[in-house]
Amino acid sequence: MEDPESFGKFALHILDVLQPYKNSAIIGTISVMAPILKISGVRVGPGRAIALGMKSLLFPSSNIDSVRVDLVKKIWESVVNLAPDMFVVVSGQKGIGKTVAISTALRNKCGVVEVNVTAGDSADVIVVKSLKAIANLQYDSFISPHYSGRRVMLYYRWMFWSRPILVLNAKERELNKPYAEISDAARTLAYNYKLRVIVDGSDNTLPDSLFATLRGEIINVDEMTKEVLEGIPEVQYFIEKLRNEKLDDVVYHIVGGVPADYNLLISATRGLSGEDFQNAVDLFLGKLQSKAIVLRGEAELSHPD
């Protein structure tokens, strides 16, 4: 096993062997030993590299599976075929299932790291956050996260013959708050650190400059069609209830194909039936329309002509 590719295959074989024992004492022992692998705040490169590849395989995301089969396939194909200096942007309205689709696409894949990006974060802050997550530096250390991150990624590429996948989750931005410098950060992380970067954000969180860059592959996510929405197991019963009250069409017309809003409506009408149910639906739809008017005004203020 002198060449890196053979070593990478060997490392993947180890992960396959450990998969049936992910809840056993073996993994518990690894968890106990992990702190020992730290020296002066920096985790030893090989140990962290193996843990980085192992975590998302043995402990996959518990999120529900996305019903957007084509979108999930497109995201993964984009990641697989990503050029070294490019990154992927998954954008669309809040609550339409972008994050779930990304999570489904990356489930049981090696080397997945997620980092939350808040409004106003500079590019340097985002880069440092990302490198700390990769190197698992939970506290400030006199050892540079740039050094630690590069060291872990060097061993990771050698062992797994691939590049780690970094998901930058852009959190919601309040009115008049500055955008995070996520475009510059994604470019730096992809080009300088050779990471496969996915930016996950809504219309409210991503600056226009991100869509203007030639290094970003943009995947625009539209609202779900009614047929796709009805395929979500968690809302199927509720949609049938709306259909029995002859409310399914009007609700979809106002709410649209936004699963998050359907979940809010489910909570607002839980335990109700008959006229009480209908009144609660009417009240929810009225509030939603009022909120939409406010959000439209805020968007016009944020993006004046």
Side-chain angles (χ1 to χ4, degrees):
M1 288 190 302
E2 295 181 356
D3 64 291
E5 184 172 5
S6 296
F7 195 95
K9 291 179 179 178
F10 176 69
L12 289 173
H13 174 69
I14 292 176
L15 296 178
D16 289 338
V17 171
L18 289 176
Q19 179 70 25
Y21 307 100
K22 63 181 181 180
N23 295 321
S24 71
I26 295 176
I27 304 305
T29 302
I30 293 175
S31 300
V32 172
M33 291 295 294
I36 301 176
L37 295 175
K38 285 189 175 181
I39 301 177
S40 301
V42 58
R43 189 179 297 276
V44 176
R48 174 55 186 164
I50 291 177
L52 182 61
M54 183 183 300
K55 181 180 178 182
S56 50
L57 282 173
L58 297 179
F59 306 101
S61 169
S62 59
N63 288 341
I64 61 174
D65 286 333
S66 174
V67 296
R68 292 177 177 265
V69 178
D70 292 339
L71 175 60
V72 169
K73 181 179 179 181
K74 184 176 182 179
I75 291 172
W76 178 240
E77 288 178 347
S78 297
V79 172
V80 170
N81 299 318
L82 200 58
D85 60 342
M86 296 283 288
F87 55 89
V88 179
V89 179
V90 182
S91 172
Q93 180 182 345
K94 178 184 176 183
I96 58 176
K98 303 181 303 298
T99 301
V100 175
I102 293 172
S103 176
T104 303
L106 301 182
R107 185 163 295 152
N108 295 120
K109 303 298 190 297
C110 285
V112 179
V113 178
E114 296 188 25
V115 172
N116 291 331
V117 177
T118 55
D121 279 353
S122 68
D124 289 340
V125 167
I126 299 171
V127 170
V128 168
K129 278 185 180 180
S130 301
L131 296 177
K132 281 186 174 182
I134 289 170
N136 198 27
L137 298 179
Q138 300 175 4
Y139 308 100
D140 290 334
S141 167
F142 65 88
I143 301 295
S144 167
H146 300 275
Y147 167 79
S148 303
R150 286 185 185 276
R151 178 178 171 83
V152 171
M153 286 184 282
L154 173 66
Y155 279 103
Y156 182 91
R157 288 194 294 269
W158 181 53
M159 291 177 175
F160 297 97
W161 205 241
S162 66
R163 296 176 288 150
I165 302 170
L166 175 66
V167 181
L168 297 177
N169 295 315
K171 295 304 180 181
E172 285 302 297
R173 182 182 62 90
E174 295 179 5
L175 180 63
N176 297 326
K177 290 287 185 179
Y179 287 100
E181 295 179 352
I182 200 166
S183 179
D184 292 339
R187 189 161 50 245
T188 298
L189 290 163
Y191 185 74
N192 293 347
Y193 293 92
K194 311 304 179 187
L195 290 164
R196 292 183 286 180
V197 179
I198 301 176
V199 177
D200 173 15
S202 66
D203 303 334
N204 169 265
T205 62
L206 302 180
D208 294 338
S209 60
L210 189 65
F211 302 96
T213 179
L214 298 179
R215 289 186 177 175
E217 179 179 343
I218 312 298
I219 299 178
N220 289 311
V221 183
D222 297 323
E223 293 184 10
M224 291 183 179
T225 64
K226 190 177 180 183
E227 291 73 21
V228 172
L229 185 68
E230 291 177 351
I232 301 177
E234 291 73 19
V235 299
Q236 283 178 345
Y237 169 78
F238 182 73
I239 292 178
E240 184 62 30
K241 187 174 182 179
L242 289 173
R243 185 175 290 114
N244 292 337
E245 298 289 344
K246 296 182 173 53
L247 292 171
D248 55 314
D249 287 334
V250 67
V251 168
Y252 181 80
H253 178 74
I254 296 176
V255 175
V258 184
D261 286 339
Y262 269 85
N263 287 331
L264 292 175
L265 181 54
I266 291 173
S267 298
T269 58
R270 184 170 285 117
L272 300 178
S273 60
E275 186 176 349
D276 290 338
F277 176 78
Q278 295 177 9
N279 291 337
V281 171
D282 291 341
L283 180 62
F284 180 88
L285 296 182
K287 290 181 178 179
L288 193 65
Q289 288 178 309
S290 298
K291 181 181 177 181
I293 294 173
V294 173
L295 291 176
R296 180 177 179 180
E298 290 180 353
E300 290 176 351
L301 290 175
S302 299
H303 299 278
D305 293 333

